[in-house]
Amino acid sequence: MSDLLERLRGRGWRMTAQRRVVAEVLDGEHVHLTADEVHARAVVKLPEISRATVYNTLGELVSLGEVLEVTTDKRAKRYDPNAHRPHHHLICAGCGAIRDVHPSGNPLADLPDSERFGFTVSNVEVTYRGLCPHCAAA
Amino acid sequence: MSDLLERLRGRGWRMTAQRRVVAEVLDGEHVHLTADEVHARAVVKLPEISRATVYNTLGELVSLGEVLEVTTDKRAKRYDPNAHRPHHHLICAGCGAIRDVHPSGNPLADLPDSERFGFTVSNVEVTYRGLCPHCAAA
DNA sequence: ATCCCATATTGGATAGCGTCTAAGCCGAGT
DNA sequence: ACTCGGCTTAGACGCTATCCAATATGGGAT
Ligand SMILES: [Mn+2]
Ligand SMILES: [Mn+2]
Ligand SMILES: [Zn+2]
Ligand SMILES: [Zn+2]
């Protein structure tokens, strides 16, 4: 993701201060931030950036395949900068902590043709749920 | 799910016209309805039922393990009456159609200890995405 | 059959998250 | 420097879900 700005420029993106700052926030920590969390961090570097622009930019990054959306519940969507290494997620039901995980095996191969109903299946998301060590102790 | 009312009564549920109607709606079609879709169908049989009661009842059925919540995107949660036979979901990115699927293999077993980070992992959801035959043709 | 009250229901207010719009701004090619 | 199509902005808006205080009722007790 470090050369994200180069790739985006190469795709004809007009480079603006706002887009640069959003990209920097995502590049900074490999965590799963909500749009408002991204906005809060962006405001530190560019105080006048608006929520709408953060939403717009995140949406574009998702369309370009540079960032993944993670929808784990009915609260805010989260944005995952780790789009280039396939992985799944492990979520604590107590505190909401999210960890990247890399299971062995390929769930796509586990779906037989007879269970595909003629669909063109292109993608699979696996979400493990449980309790983190801290929440399990409580 | 046909003896759902019996099971609920056995658990000390106070039986009301509203709860009966919500249960009947879920029992009727094995599809994945939103809360408002459940409400729309319930109103046909009990015109004065409120949205709040539908939300309350669905939440209770989820707590009791009789119905599952399916969160596939940032639109409305869907309620799955097929809670007693484990399965996963296949979703069309075009029209949003949802199908139950039964993959072979067990994704829980595919998550090695080294990828569990001390979590107590209790549950796994798999969501396949693609295009249904109709949307793939368009 | 009637009473009673803990529990359920109700409509409307409220909140969270995201999208949209109209007006002004600005990057970058010329 | 000029120009213009794309970008940004603030705030309005929409959808989904929850909360609330007032009212109604299921069903055990009498
Ligand atoms: Mn991730
Ligand atoms: Mn299902
Ligand atoms: Zn936790
Ligand atoms: Zn479709």
Side-chain angles (χ1 to χ4, degrees):
Chain A
M1 174 116 181
S2 43
D3 48 341
L4 170 61
L5 293 183
E6 297 314 314
R7 257 176 290 146
L8 295 176
R9 215 187 303 263
R11 299 218 215 184
W13 248 36
R14 179 183 292 185
M15 193 48 54
T16 67
Q18 290 85 349
R19 287 172 169 181
R20 195 176 352 256
V21 166
V22 170
E24 282 172 12
V25 167
L26 291 171
D27 202 16
E29 316 170 65
H30 275 196
V31 292
H32 304 84
L33 301 174
T34 65
D36 277 336
E37 288 166 351
V38 171
H39 181 240
R41 283 164 170 72
V43 160
V44 174
K45 296 190 165 229
L46 186 64
E48 60 276 17
I49 191 172
S50 74
R51 263 177 18 103
T53 294
V54 171
Y55 274 102
N56 288 342
T57 304
L58 289 172
E60 288 154 9
L61 291 171
V62 170
S63 296
L64 292 170
E66 296 288 350
V67 168
L68 297 176
E69 281 179 353
V70 184
T71 302
T72 59
D73 54 33
K74 269 307 291 182
R75 307 178 62 183
K77 272 192 275 197
R78 294 182 172 274
Y79 291 89
D80 189 338
N82 187 11
H84 298 302
R85 246 171 255 300
H87 64 280
H88 297 294
H89 292 112
L90 169 58
I91 299 174
C92 176
C95 65
I98 304 181
R99 308 277 326 220
D100 284 1
V101 295
H102 304 79
S104 67
N106 178 1
L108 260 186
D110 285 348
L111 191 64
D113 272 348
S114 62
E115 288 284 314
R116 295 190 182 211
F117 305 101
F119 278 54
T120 307
V121 183
S122 52
N123 174 260
V124 58
E125 299 156 29
V126 181
T127 304
Y128 296 92
R129 294 183 189 275
L131 291 174
C132 74
H134 184 267
C135 289
Chain B
M1 175 118 178
S2 43
D3 48 341
L4 170 62
L5 294 182
E6 298 313 315
R7 258 176 289 145
L8 294 176
R9 215 188 301 265
R11 299 218 215 182
W13 246 36
R14 179 184 292 185
M15 193 49 54
T16 67
Q18 290 84 351
R19 287 171 169 180
R20 192 173 357 253
V21 166
V22 169
E24 282 172 11
V25 167
L26 291 170
D27 202 15
E29 316 170 66
H30 275 197
V31 291
H32 304 85
L33 301 174
T34 66
D36 276 338
E37 287 167 350
V38 171
H39 181 240
R41 283 164 170 72
V43 161
V44 174
K45 296 190 165 230
L46 187 64
E48 61 276 18
I49 191 172
S50 73
R51 265 172 25 99
T53 294
V54 171
Y55 274 101
N56 288 341
T57 304
L58 289 172
E60 290 154 7
L61 290 172
V62 169
S63 295
L64 292 170
E66 296 287 351
V67 168
L68 298 176
E69 282 179 353
V70 183
T71 302
T72 59
D73 53 35
K74 268 306 292 181
R75 308 177 63 183
K77 271 191 275 196
R78 294 183 172 273
Y79 292 88
D80 188 338
N82 187 11
H84 297 304
R85 245 173 255 298
H87 64 281
H88 297 295
H89 292 112
L90 169 57
I91 300 173
C92 176
C95 64
I98 304 180
R99 309 275 326 218
D100 285 1
V101 295
H102 304 79
S104 67
N106 178 3
L108 259 186
D110 285 348
L111 190 66
D113 271 348
S114 63
E115 288 285 314
R116 297 192 181 208
F117 304 100
F119 278 53
T120 308
V121 184
S122 52
N123 175 260
V124 57
E125 299 156 29
V126 181
T127 304
Y128 296 92
R129 294 183 190 275
L131 291 174
C132 74
H134 183 267
C135 290

